[in-house]
Amino acid sequence: MKAIKEIFIKGVIKDNPIFRQILGICSALAVTNLMMNSLVMGLGLMFVTGLSSFTVSMIRKFTPKHIRMMVQTLIISAFVIILDIFLKAYLPDMSKALGPYVGLIITNCIIMGRCEAYAQNNTPILSFFDGVTMGLGYTMILLFIAFFRELLGFGTVFGFQVMPESFTPWTLMIMPPGAFFMLGIVIWISKNLFKNDEGGVTNG
Amino acid sequence: MAKKKQILFPVLFMVVLTAIFTFVLATINEVTTDIISEQQELSIQKSIFYTFNISLEGLSDQEIQDKFEASFEKTKVNDRTYYTYTKENKVQGYAVQISGKGLWGTITGHVAFSPDHEKILGLNFISHSETPGLGGRIDEDEFKDQFRSITLDREPYFSYGTDIGGNVDAITGATLTSLAVRDILNGEIPKILEEAKKEGFYEGN
């Protein structure tokens, strides 16, 4: 139980993939113009990271060390394809909105990073939990960024109009530069909010 | 002493693992193929209903499919699919797919025209990669509904409000996408109509 709690705090705050490890930035920049897209992307990533870590951990005792990366890539891509098929079959609108980004989850560094850093040396259940938590940390930041981008760029939250009619949308926020600004601000805030308690040099 | 790298085991391991995953993926793919193609078909059907301004409010997916089967006839001629809309034994119009170059990528949609080829009945887009919030607003009804019942009695068929005699309005802030849509329509529609006439999708003089 203690281990799980520790994983949780690490995944969401201390080792948050986005603002601490600066991993998975590409998709974080790309899909955060709408909250709905971010949510589905985040759930997709949680699914893939969790199950990939679980599978990698399951076969870690048999996997020859020097081909482990190849094995991890195979496992990750299999889960991503499953996710892609699922979205196409049951959530076609979402599949259309996310476009190529679902396939690109394969290249999301968070997943392989967790497989290498955690799943390789831990039990399947803990690895699964670690993967899901890392995905959760990612999803939370994505939703945070998307909230401001969608609110200022479209005047909506999850598609519901919240800004008054007279509000002029800041189109810049939904274009790529808006993502960079928001991400920079998030990293800046988090650096000041969660001081590095190890006292060492931060490598963000 | 460093252990000598094994060769046989890693190769076998990889082969077995790949086989397992391929099998799993192939199974999932097989199971969902029908659902996926049905979903794609459904999105085309919805788009065509939209071009004819037929409301589908409150209808389930199954009802939409049935309604489509009942009112449309699909004919494939030279790589182009014509959807003939018949109501009360009378042809109400034809719809075809239209596509062309947008600002960032291909814009694909459907356009419906009247049996006598004198009017464009409606326009809808099914896929594009324009900037969300700017060019992406071609998806909004406010833009698309402008293309209902436009008489094709002039060349070019469409021009925007700022041009002399403009008959539709462009999207503010998305000039290039608007122009791309106009050019696709002005370029493709004459070709489509000519071909449709030749193939018999025409009722008039």
Side-chain angles (χ1 to χ4, degrees), chain A residues 33 62-64 66-67 70-71 74-75 78 82 85 89-90 92 96 154 171 174-175, chain B residues 5-6 9-10 13-14 17-18 21 25 28-29 32 35-36 39 126 131-134:
Chain A
N33 55 5
F62 323 102
T63 316
H66 60 288
I67 61 158
M70 204 155 73
V71 174
L74 177 79
I75 293 171
I82 293 176
I85 293 178
Y90 300 103
K96 205 175 128 189
F154 287 107
T171 310
I174 45 177
M175 305 229 297
Chain B
K5 266 190 188 165
Q6 296 168 293
F9 179 68
F13 185 84
M14 205 58 204
L17 200 67
T18 312
F21 275 103
L25 286 181
I28 294 178
N29 189 39
T32 50
I35 305 175
I36 291 175
Q39 290 285 8
I126 47 171
T131 320
L134 293 172

Side-chain angles (χ1 to χ4, degrees), chain B residues 80-100:
Chain B
R80 214 192 277 286
T81 310
Y82 291 87
Y83 298 91
T84 310
Y85 175 40
T86 319
K87 194 178 165 193
E88 288 149 10
N89 289 325
K90 206 167 157 275
V91 174
Q92 305 287 317
Y94 309 99
V96 288
Q97 186 178 314
I98 187 165
S99 72

